[in-house]
Amino acid sequence: MAVDDPSFQWTQYEWPWPPPTWHRSWMPSIRGSAVVGIDIFLTEAGRDAGGDEALSQALSQSASSVSDLEIFRNPQQGTTSLSLPIGPYRSVLKAMGITTIIQDRDAVTRSIQAYDSYGDQYYYNWAFQVAAQYLKASPPSNPTPSGLTFNHQQVPLRNGSLMVNYSGPAGTYPTYSAYQVALGDILKETQTRSKTRSS
C-alpha cells in the first residue's frame, strides 16, 4: 500500500501523513495478515483520539508486524538519538528496523543501508526484519562493512550497504494507493484473487 500523491489529493492531507488519523479505514485489510510491514514512523501520538490504540490492536491481530525506527545524528552538535515507536506499538510489534535508502548522484536508488548502531546495539534494515518475520528466520547478525549473516547465509555488503536487486521495472509488484484500500476496493479485489487461485 502506497501513501502516494493520489492519496494526498483524495484525503487533502498535507505532508507528513498524519498517522494514525486515517489508518482506521484500512485496519480491516491488515487483520489476520501473515506479516504487516509499516514503513511509517509511529514515533508520535496521532491526532485522532484513540487512533494509536486502535491501530496497535489491529496489528496485534496479525501474525507479525514490523515498523520503522530512526537513528538521528547531528554532526554539528555531535549528538545521536534513537527514535522508537510510541508505547502502544512497542508491545505488539515483532520487530523494528531502519529505512535509510541511498540515492546516487543520478537520483537513482541502488542500495540501502543494511544496519546502523546506537550505543552497543545494532539495528538492521526494515527489509531484513520483514523478511525475517515472513521466513520465520532469526534477525541478521555479525554485521561488517563487507557482509552480514542472515537466514544461515552470508549476505555481501558494500561499505555497509546492500545493493538492490531489482526484479523488474516499475509495477512488477502490485502497489495500491492508501485511499483505494480505505475505500475497501482493494480488500475485495485481493479476496477475489485469493478465491480464484485456490479454486
Side-chain angles (χ1 to χ4, degrees), residues 7-69:
S7 296
F8 276 103
Q9 292 169 4
W10 195 85
T11 60
Q12 298 186 342
Y13 283 149
E14 295 181 356
W15 184 264
W17 186 269
T21 303
W22 200 55
H23 297 357
R24 289 175 178 269
S25 53
W26 49 258
M27 287 177 195
S29 302
I30 66 176
R31 290 191 178 98
S33 300
V35 181
V36 177
I38 301 182
D39 189 8
I40 297 175
F41 291 112
L42 300 172
T43 54
E44 297 180 6
R47 304 170 193 170
D48 179 10
D52 291 304
E53 287 75 13
L55 178 54
S56 62
Q57 183 179 11
L59 291 174
S60 71
Q61 294 175 13
S62 65
S64 181
S65 56
V66 182
S67 185
D68 299 344
L69 60 84

Side-chain angles (χ1 to χ4, degrees), residues 102-111:
I102 301 168
Q103 197 171 68
D104 294 337
R105 292 183 179 179
D106 57 0
V108 175
T109 297
R110 297 183 176 87
S111 60

Side-chain angles (χ1 to χ4, degrees), residues 30-195:
I30 66 176
R31 290 191 178 98
S33 300
V35 181
V36 177
I38 301 182
D39 189 8
I40 297 175
F41 291 112
L42 300 172
T43 54
E44 297 180 6
R47 304 170 193 170
D48 179 10
D52 291 304
E53 287 75 13
L55 178 54
S56 62
Q57 183 179 11
L59 291 174
S60 71
Q61 294 175 13
S62 65
S64 181
S65 56
V66 182
S67 185
D68 299 344
L69 60 84
E70 184 176 24
I71 298 174
F72 179 74
R73 290 182 171 80
N74 188 326
Q76 296 178 341
Q77 297 181 2
T79 59
T80 303
S81 60
L82 175 66
S83 184
L84 298 171
I86 61 175
Y89 301 110
R90 292 193 209 176
S91 60
V92 298
L93 291 168
K94 299 296 184 183
M96 295 171 279
I98 62 171
T99 53
T100 308
I101 61 174
I102 301 168
Q103 197 171 68
D104 294 337
R105 292 183 179 179
D106 57 0
V108 175
T109 297
R110 297 183 176 87
S111 60
I112 60 175
Q113 186 176 352
Y115 65 94
D116 201 348
S117 62
Y118 179 78
D120 58 356
Q121 178 76 37
Y122 283 108
Y123 295 92
Y124 297 93
N125 195 281
W126 176 87
F128 275 119
Q129 300 289 24
V130 172
Q133 294 299 314
Y134 181 77
L135 298 171
K136 300 187 185 309
S138 298
S141 60
N142 306 317
T144 69
S146 60
L148 55 75
T149 303
F150 178 64
N151 199 23
H152 307 293
Q153 299 181 50
Q154 187 66 18
V155 179
L157 302 177
R158 182 179 298 176
N159 295 324
S161 297
L162 177 69
M163 302 304 294
V164 178
N165 182 17
Y166 287 102
S167 298
T172 299
Y173 296 102
T175 302
Y176 306 107
S177 293
Y179 83 94
Q180 293 176 296
V181 177
L183 291 174
D185 298 338
I186 302 307
L187 181 59
K188 295 175 184 176
E189 178 183 331
T190 53
Q191 287 175 338
T192 301
R193 284 185 181 179
S194 298
K195 291 179 181 177

